[in-house]
Amino acid sequence: MTAKHLIAANDFCVYHQVEYTFINSLQEAGLVEVTIVDETTYIPESELQKLERMIRLHNELEINVAGIEAITHLLQRVEAMHEDMRSLKNRLRMYEIE
């Protein structure tokens, strides 16, 4: 991954007004991936949307890391169920055409 696709965790924390320990807690829980280069922690660009959603849950709804972990797990299950439904609908359409 190139450096232009990485954001320094400290810069991200200053911009979003969150403590670095919160990002570290999310990373330890396996909710967000970080990259360490030359002893500096970076957040991949692909993780930003997910991380910003978690920060909103934490700040606006006062949900702790364990709650965020549960919510994230449930959202992943819902998305998987939606994907299954799309797949089943597509298969059903094949039989309706005949």
Side-chain angles (χ1 to χ4, degrees):
M1 183 169 294
T2 62
K4 69 179 182 177
H5 297 289
L6 299 173
I7 290 95
N10 288 333
D11 294 343
F12 182 87
C13 290
V14 168
Y15 180 78
H16 288 282
Q17 300 175 350
V18 296
E19 295 290 326
Y20 175 77
T21 55
F22 179 69
I23 306 294
N24 194 39
S25 297
L26 293 174
Q27 189 267 331
E28 288 176 355
L31 296 173
V32 73
E33 294 180 23
V34 297
T35 303
I36 298 175
V37 178
D38 296 330
E39 298 180 18
T40 303
T41 304
Y42 293 94
I43 301 166
E45 196 176 85
S46 59
E47 295 287 302
L48 289 180
Q49 183 179 17
K50 180 171 46 171
L51 184 55
E52 288 172 342
R53 182 181 325 120
M54 291 178 200
I55 288 172
R56 283 193 306 277
L57 288 171
H58 179 69
N59 290 342
E60 295 173 11
L61 301 177
E62 299 180 5
I63 298 174
N64 63 11
V65 174
I68 293 171
E69 190 172 4
I71 290 168
T72 301
H73 174 71
L74 290 172
L75 288 172
Q76 288 172 344
R77 289 188 60 192
V78 167
E79 182 58 37
M81 290 171 67
H82 280 287
E83 185 59 37
D84 288 344
M85 284 177 39
R86 275 190 288 264
S87 174
L88 290 171
K89 283 181 181 180
N90 288 338
R91 288 177 57 194
L92 184 59
R93 283 188 190 118
M94 284 181 13
Y95 294 111
E96 288 176 345
I97 292 174
E98 293 177 0

